[in-house]
Amino acid sequence: MNQLDTKKKSRRIFLQSGATLLLSVLVPKLSYAAQILAVRVWPAEEYTRVTLEGDVELKATQFLVKDPLRMVVDIDGLELNSTLKEIIAKIQSNDPYIKQVRVGQNRPNVVRLVFDLKEEINPQVFTLKPVGEYKYRLVFDLYPTNPVDPIAALIEKGQWLQEQPLAKSDPKASPPIAQAPTLPTPPTPSQLPSQAQTMPQPKLNPNPEAPLPGSSDLKNAPQLMRMITIALDPGHGGEDPGAVGRGGSYEKDVVLSIAKRLKAKIESQPNMRVFLTRDADFFVPLNVRVEKARKVQADLFMSIHADAFIETSARGSSVFALSDKGASSTAARWLANKENSADLIGGVNIKNHDKQLASVLLDLSTTAQISDSLKLGSAILGEIGGINRLHKGSVEQAGFAVLKAPDIPSVLIETAFISNPEEEAKLTDENYQNQMADAILKGINRYFAKKPPLAKNRLT
C-alpha cells in the first residue's frame, strides 16, 4: 500500500469515527429500560391504590376485560425486575377489589400486569412528578363503580346510631355536660282520633283548665335526643406518612391510633356519634376530607396531627383554627403551608381534582364559623394543657385547607412534636394516647356546655 492509499484510509476512518461520535451526541439512547425502585399497595374499602415508583417517568395503557373481571396494564420502556415481581406478594387476600396480580415480560421493553378483580371497578391511572423523597410514580387507583355512601356504610357496620329516645332523668342527678335540645316524637296514626271517633261532635269541656283530648298522648310521648355528629380526621395516610420521628414513628400511624381511641370515648357519650375520614392507612385528599364531613352533616370537625420541626428541641401541643386574614404567626403560616402540601406527597389525580373547591369554600367561610372554631379550639387547648406542655397558650390561625368547611366549626390539633424524641415516646405510648383522647373529649363537652347544638333541618 502506497502513501496515498494510506492517507485515504486514515481519512476514511477519521470520518467514520466523527460520524459515529456525532450520532452518539445527537441521537439519545433508545434502549434504556426504566428501573422500578419500589412497589406499594394501599387497600381500603373506599379504593385500592397501587403505586410503582421508578427512576424515570413511566407510561402505561390499560383496559378492562370481563368474564372473568380483570384489568390489563402495559407499561412501556420497562424490563421485568425483582422489585416489580414483589407486587405479587403484596396483594393480600383481604383486599376489597383485587384477587391477585400476574406480571410478565409481554414483549421487549413492555411489561404487562394483569389484575384479577373481585368486582367491577372504575380505574384512575396517572403519573406524579418527583416530590419529597419520592421519584417518579405511576399510580393506579381502583374505585368501585358504585361508591358507598358514608352514612350507609356506617349504618351497615352498626356504627351509626339513630336519634335515641331521651331517658327519664333522675331529678337528683346532674344533667350531662353536652345536653342537646330534644324534639317531640309525632303521634302515630293509631294515636290520632279516627273519623268514627270524631262523629258526633263532642260536647265542649265545661272545665277550661282540663287537658284537651289527646294532649296527654303528646305529653307522655317519648322525646328524641339530638345526636351530635363529630368528624375526626386523622391526618396524612397511605403514600403520605406525614412527619417521621427520630425513632422511626410515622405521624399517620400515631394520629390514627389517637383518633380511634377518641372515637370510642366519644361514642360512650349518650348523644354523640363519630365519623372518621379514614379508618385505615390510605390517602385522602384534603378537599375530600372536608366533603366527607359535610356529607354526614358534622357538628364539629377535628383534624388530628403530630407536629415536626427541624429543631428536635421544639415541643408542646397546639390547636389551630382557620384564618381568612392571614396567619397569626410565622410558625402558623409555615405549618399551614406544610400541611397543605399533603396532596402533593399523597398523590392527587390532577385531572379529577376540583382545584376551585378550596377557594370556593374559603369564600363561603363565615365569621361565625371561624368564631365558633376559636371557641372550640380554646376549650380543647385548655384541657390538653393539663397533660402536656403547650407550644403556645392560645389558638393560632392560618389558611389550613382542611379547615375550610364553611358551615362546620373546625380545628387542627397538633398533639405533640413527633420530631422531639421525648414527645415521640409519648405519642407512641398507649397511656398518653388515652390521656390525649380524654382531654379532647373534655374540651368538646366544655364547648357544647356553652354552645349547645342547634336542631337540624332533618334527622339523620
Side-chain angles (χ1 to χ4, degrees):
M1 181 180 296
N2 57 36
Q3 189 175 2
L4 181 61
D5 292 337
T6 302
K7 288 182 178 181
K8 288 181 178 179
K9 183 177 181 181
S10 299
R11 186 169 180 271
R12 185 169 60 252
I13 293 173
F14 173 78
L15 291 174
Q16 289 174 344
S17 300
T20 302
L21 178 62
L22 182 63
L23 286 172
S24 66
V25 172
L26 296 179
V27 181
K29 293 182 178 180
L30 300 178
S31 59
Y32 175 78
Q35 296 296 312
I36 296 297
L37 305 176
V39 175
R40 295 179 292 275
V41 181
W42 308 102
E45 290 187 17
E46 293 192 17
Y47 73 106
T48 289
R49 168 170 288 192
V50 178
T51 303
L52 306 182
E53 186 178 355
D55 60 345
V56 297
E57 185 171 358
L58 301 171
K59 296 182 179 180
T61 56
Q62 79 282 347
F63 56 92
L64 296 173
V65 183
K66 294 186 177 182
D67 301 325
L69 289 172
R70 55 197 186 277
M71 182 176 76
V72 181
V73 180
D74 287 336
I75 306 175
D76 295 330
L78 189 62
E79 295 293 329
L80 187 61
N81 66 3
S82 58
T83 303
L84 185 53
K85 290 180 181 178
E86 292 175 2
I87 191 174
I88 298 174
K90 292 193 175 184
I91 303 299
Q92 302 298 314
S93 60
N94 62 348
D95 190 298
Y97 303 109
I98 304 175
K99 285 183 181 178
Q100 63 178 6
V101 62
R102 292 167 281 150
V103 58
Q105 195 75 45
N106 183 256
R107 54 187 184 275
N109 286 327
V110 176
V111 167
R112 170 165 288 188
L113 300 173
V114 179
F115 294 91
D116 294 320
L117 305 173
K118 294 181 178 180
E119 64 175 78
E120 291 189 9
I121 61 163
N122 177 25
Q124 296 183 15
V125 181
F126 55 97
T127 58
L128 298 169
K129 300 291 184 182
V131 61
E133 298 182 358
Y134 291 127
K135 300 296 184 182
Y136 294 89
R137 286 177 288 174
L138 176 63
V139 179
F140 306 93
D141 284 348
L142 279 58
Y143 290 90
T145 54
N146 297 310
V148 179
D149 179 84
I151 294 181
L154 291 173
I155 291 175
E156 185 177 351
K157 295 178 183 178
Q159 297 177 352
W160 190 261
L161 299 176
Q162 299 298 320
E163 310 297 331
Q164 298 296 307
L166 184 63
K168 292 184 179 180
S169 58
D170 183 350
K172 296 181 180 180
S174 58
I177 295 177
Q179 181 63 51
T182 57
L183 301 175
T185 302
T188 63
S190 61
Q191 294 173 320
L192 295 175
S194 64
Q195 184 176 1
Q197 291 173 321
T198 61
M199 296 296 290
Q201 292 293 327
K203 296 181 180 179
L204 293 176
N205 189 349
N207 183 3
E209 296 182 358
L212 294 174
S215 62
S216 60
D217 292 331
L218 291 175
K219 182 178 179 180
N220 296 326
Q223 293 180 312
L224 293 181
M225 181 162 52
R226 154 87 149 80
M227 295 295 290
I228 298 171
T229 304
I230 297 176
L232 298 181
D233 174 49
H236 310 282
E239 288 284 286
D240 176 20
V244 182
R246 290 291 183 94
S249 305
Y250 287 169
E251 178 182 6
K252 65 176 183 177
D253 297 330
V254 167
V255 298
L256 179 60
S257 180
I258 293 174
K260 287 183 175 180
R261 294 177 189 276
L262 178 56
K263 177 179 184 290
K265 293 177 184 295
I266 292 175
E267 288 178 336
S268 68
Q269 304 293 298
N271 62 326
M272 292 187 185
R273 58 191 175 195
V274 178
F275 172 77
L276 290 175
T277 59
R278 70 175 181 95
D279 58 2
D281 187 11
F282 63 97
F283 172 68
V284 183
L286 297 175
N287 71 300
V288 175
R289 296 170 188 262
V290 178
E291 289 174 358
K292 286 183 172 186
R294 300 192 75 203
K295 283 182 179 178
V296 298
Q297 295 185 327
D299 294 286
L300 299 180
F301 177 91
M302 291 180 288
S303 193
I304 302 174
H305 293 257
D307 210 347
F309 195 64
I310 53 176
E311 298 291 340
T312 58
S313 58
R315 61 181 300 168
S317 302
S318 307
V319 178
F320 296 83
L322 180 66
S323 171
D324 58 355
K325 299 178 181 178
S328 57
S329 69
T330 302
R333 182 184 302 108
W334 178 85
L335 180 63
N337 290 336
K338 182 171 72 74
E339 296 296 355
N340 291 346
S341 67
D343 280 355
L344 297 176
I345 304 295
V348 173
N349 185 359
I350 299 298
K351 292 181 180 179
N352 295 324
H353 187 51
D354 187 358
K355 298 179 181 179
Q356 297 179 345
L357 179 64
S359 60
V360 169
L361 290 181
L362 180 58
D363 293 338
L364 291 174
S365 295
T366 64
T367 303
Q369 185 263 12
I370 295 177
S371 175
D372 288 343
S373 299
L374 289 170
K375 292 174 183 176
L376 171 63
S378 180
I380 293 174
L381 196 66
E383 296 295 338
I384 290 178
I387 66 165
N388 193 35
R389 172 181 174 179
L390 296 180
H391 187 64
K392 193 165 184 178
S394 60
V395 179
E396 294 205 72
Q397 293 179 261
F400 292 90
V402 79
L403 301 182
K404 293 179 180 178
D407 47 1
I408 307 173
S410 305
V411 294
L412 185 145
I413 303 169
E414 293 286 359
T415 52
F417 276 85
I418 199 171
S419 54
N420 181 302
E422 292 182 9
E423 294 206 331
E424 180 185 10
K426 282 185 175 182
L427 288 167
T428 55
D429 179 69
E430 291 185 5
N431 184 49
Y432 180 79
Q433 290 183 3
N434 278 320
Q435 288 180 333
M436 180 60 65
D438 283 333
I440 296 174
L441 175 56
K442 289 179 182 178
I444 294 171
N445 282 331
R446 279 182 58 185
Y447 170 78
F448 279 125
K450 293 182 179 180
K451 190 177 178 61
L454 299 175
K456 293 185 179 180
N457 292 332
R458 64 180 178 84
L459 298 179
T460 55

